[in-house]
Each structure stands twice: as structure tokens, then as C-alpha cells.
Amino acid sequence: MLLSYFVVARSSGNIIRITRRTSPPADTATLLNVKASTASLHCYQALYAKGQDLISLDSVS
């Protein structure tokens, strides 16, 4: 089953992209991966549709 993950910049907390994987991707020194719930994805999509380019992880949690 594919699950959605937010790929987040550690320095800013901003979501860089969404990825779908069967298992969590590996975190790196600059990026972390956070499982994205359906509600969080809907919130992200609503903010993006309103023209926000930099969406923080805090704003969708």
C-alpha cells in the first residue's frame, strides 16, 4: 500500500514536495520525511490552491 509523505527542509520546516512510497524514505542531513495524513494533504492542497508557495509543516499539522 502506498502512503504519502511530506519531504520537509530541516532548516525552514517548509514542505518541498509530497512523495508516495510503500515505506518511509530515508531522512538526510537536510531533509526529513513525515507521514502525511489525509487531512494534512487536504490542508496542503487548499493552501497551494490559494497560491502559497512555501507551506510549512506546522501549517498543515
Side-chain angles (χ1 to χ4, degrees):
M1 176 168 79
L2 291 176
L3 300 173
S4 297
Y5 294 89
F6 290 123
V7 181
V8 181
R10 286 186 188 270
S11 60
S12 66
N14 289 335
I15 298 168
I16 296 172
R17 66 181 177 274
I18 298 170
T19 187
R20 298 197 63 186
R21 306 267 307 248
T22 56
S23 61
D27 291 343
T28 68
T30 58
L31 299 174
L32 63 111
N33 299 277
V34 178
K35 188 175 175 184
S37 68
T38 302
S40 293
L41 285 170
H42 288 157
C43 185
Y44 176 87
Q45 290 166 345
L47 291 170
Y48 189 79
K50 290 179 183 177
Q52 292 192 21
D53 292 331
L54 297 175
I55 301 170
S56 71
L57 185 62
D58 289 340
S59 65
V60 299
S61 302

